[in-house]
Structures are given as C-alpha cells and as structure tokens.
Amino acid sequence: MISGARLRLARQARGFSQQQLAGMAGVSRQAVSAVESGQSDPSLRVALALAQALGMTVEELFGGEAAAPTVTARPVGVDAVRLLGERVTLAPVGDSFVALPLAGPTVSKAGFLPAGGLITGPGGPGGSGGQLTVQPIGPPRTTLVIAGCDPALPLLEEPLGLLEPPIAFTWWPCGSREALRLADDGLVHVAGVHLMGESGGYATGPAAELLAQGGEVIGFSAWREGLVLRPDLALDVESFADAVRAGLRVVNRELGAEARSVLDRELTGLELAGDDVPGYDTVVTGHLQVADAVAAGLAGFGVASEPAALAYGLAFIPLAAERFDLLIPAEQVSSREVQALIKVLSSRWLLDQLASLPGYDATPCGQAVVSQVRAQAH
C-alpha cells in the first residue's frame, strides 16, 4: 500500500477530515491532500507531525522499507565533528532540528518523573496487611511494569504508548534475582533476567527455581559483560587480575545481580575475598551507574555491560557473553499488559533502536526461548 493511501485510511478510520488532521498536525490542508493523492512525499517534519497526530509511528504510517531522508541539525553541547556515527536525540526546535548526543549522563533519563499518586497512609483495616493507601493524581493508567537491570528496557515506552489503546510503562531497575522475586510475588508483570544457571545456561534454570508457578521466557537482548575501566588505565590493566594487583578501587553491584556474580567468580579464581579489594562494599544499582561511577573517578573499575562502557567512553575487557531474557510468570501471560509487550517486541522501531546501541545484539528480541518453564517444587 502506498503511503498516501495509508494516510487516508488512517485518517478516515479515526473520523478526521483533512482539515481536522491538518489542524492537529500543524500543517496545511493542502499538504495533507497532496500526500494522500500521491502528488508529493512528506518532509520528515510533516511525516512526524502527521504520525503523532494519528497516534502512529512514521514507519507504520509511511512504511519503513526506505531510510528516512537526512536532515540538517544543530548539535547541542559538543563539536559537530565529534558526533559522527554517534546516537543522538533528534528533535524539531523552531524551524530547524537539533541533535542532542546520547552519551555519558545524557544516555538515560535523569530528572523528575510524573507521579501517579501520593501515599496518604497505611492500607487495610487498622493499617495492616503490608499495603498503603494512595491518593491517585488523575485516573490510574494501564501500565506494564518490568523489573530488571538492562538500561535498554525504557525503549519499550514509546511503542507501547503508540498502541490503541496505549499502554503506559514503568521500569523498576534491580538485579536479576530481585526481579524474579518481585515477579513471583506478583509485584511486576515481567522480570528481566540474565542469570547463569548451574548448567551454564541462562534464565530457564533460575526461573524454574524462583518462579513458583513457572512461566514463559522471551528473548530481549544480548551483550558482553566485563571489566569497565577508566581509559587512562587501559594500557596497564589487561585483565581482572591486573586491576586487583594494581590496588584499584572497585564499584560493585547489589546482591543478586549477575554482574556481582561475575566479579565474585573472578575473585574466587584468584583465591581472593571481597575484603581484599578496596571498595567491594560500595554498591550501585545498574550497569550505567557502574560506568558513571568509574567515569567520575569514584572507582578505578567495575563489572558492567559493554554497552554501558561504550556509552561513557570507557575501556572494556570482556569476561562473559550474556543474554538478557524477559521472564513472564504464568499468571501474567494472558494479561493485556503482557500481550501488548509481546506485540511491540517484534516492532521494527524497537529492533532498530536496540541494534543502534553500540555493544547490543538485538537478535534475541521477541524470540521465544522457552514456551513454558516448569516450576520446581518449593
């Protein structure tokens, strides 16, 4: 189907006239008519505006077979030459585009998020039952809740928000075992996990051990886990043993995180304990937080994913190849939120976004790893 016909059908399906759509998108009615009739192709700005007005992605509305035309954008904060090949946020500002680099502190969100409510007291009769009374700020929204440590998980927010009806997204960053505990307690829809089982495989063994009702396993991403170092140390440090012998301070992950398990395995191989390494008890939550601490000079090294190291311009020494899977408890599989997740996991936009992240392998995304994990006896 040509893009003009797709635009016309999408507009008519929503009951909009050309004039109404033009007003919503901030373009002229003649521009809408010209695109629908095939007399002209929309510019990137017009395509973005029309897609947003219709609650669709540009790919869904105009097709994704051909690459979008390049645009001229002004870089924010850095020399334009340094941005060659780098990921950026591209946004229209006034009559032009700006390119904001996605690196270092700007690679993730670091600001206030909108709240869904305010705690007003304990819940349940007499305040018992381990619950809270919350005053919503606006009507509660249907929200997919995922726990896990992959900083690429927030990429799910945009495609979920474009569904009809839209699904909101919340990410609870934590280690793999904590994510499984939350899923088993019914506190999240999905646990993101990259735990190595006793057999050497990922996800399915730990899921069977920790999910009382079993569940399903779907792939999301793959990466290398390893040593993250300040670039000035890279010439002198070529291994984990080198980092320890140099007396470098480490930044660690929380208990239950696979990165911590990797670090502990390396220490065991050197016949060392945590107390033998300065900073072992300094704990942060997340791969990007490890990289941030190293980049800030608060630690000499840590164990994190290669994408985190690359995002902060740090040196990286691989220690393990890992796969990050989404474990869905059996009671959540048929939920509206999880079905929406399964739908967007195969979207071209999400796959392209994952593939664009240096160090990520998007091949596992959306692939069924195990259709049914059998729970072990607890």
Side-chain angles (χ1 to χ4, degrees), residues 20-27 46 49-50 53:
Q20 287 173 320
L21 177 58
M24 294 165 60
V27 302
V46 170
L50 290 172

Side-chain angles (χ1 to χ4, degrees), residues 248-255 259-260 263-264 274-275 277-286 289-290 292-294 297-303:
L248 297 179
R249 185 176 182 83
V250 70
V251 57
N252 207 350
R253 286 285 306 281
E254 71 277 22
L255 288 170
R260 187 185 183 109
L263 189 150
D264 287 343
D275 292 341
V277 183
Y280 182 84
D281 292 328
T282 302
V283 173
V284 298
T285 301
Q289 287 72 19
V290 170
D292 191 37
V294 173
L298 301 178
F301 75 104
V303 174

Side-chain angles (χ1 to χ4, degrees), residues 201-294:
Y202 276 94
T204 54
E209 297 168 8
L210 299 174
L211 285 182
Q213 303 302 320
E216 297 186 6
V217 182
I218 299 177
F220 184 71
S221 61
W223 63 66
R224 294 191 298 178
E225 193 97 328
L227 216 60
V228 175
L229 291 163
R230 296 201 318 264
D232 60 292
L233 299 174
L235 292 178
D236 299 320
V237 177
E238 298 181 351
S239 67
F240 187 91
D242 287 345
V244 174
R245 279 194 290 265
L248 297 179
R249 185 176 182 83
V250 70
V251 57
N252 207 350
R253 286 285 306 281
E254 71 277 22
L255 288 170
E258 182 64 11
R260 187 185 183 109
S261 297
V262 171
L263 189 150
D264 287 343
R265 287 198 294 268
E266 293 294 320
L267 287 176
T268 300
L270 296 174
E271 299 183 348
L272 296 174
D275 292 341
D276 298 317
V277 183
Y280 182 84
D281 292 328
T282 302
V283 173
V284 298
T285 301
H287 297 277
L288 294 178
Q289 287 72 19
V290 170
D292 191 37
V294 173

Side-chain angles (χ1 to χ4, degrees), residues 188-213:
V188 299
H189 296 103
V190 180
V193 172
H194 63 117
L195 280 177
M196 182 179 290
E198 294 181 0
S199 63
Y202 276 94
T204 54
E209 297 168 8
L210 299 174
L211 285 182
Q213 303 302 320

Side-chain angles (χ1 to χ4, degrees), residues 15 39 41 48 66 112 131 141 151 170 196 198 228 234 248 296 310 342 353 366:
Q39 294 178 2
D41 293 324
L48 286 169
F112 293 116
Q131 299 188 39
R141 302 173 59 193
T170 289
M196 182 179 290
E198 294 181 0
V228 175
L248 297 179
L310 294 173
I342 293 172
Q353 287 291 324

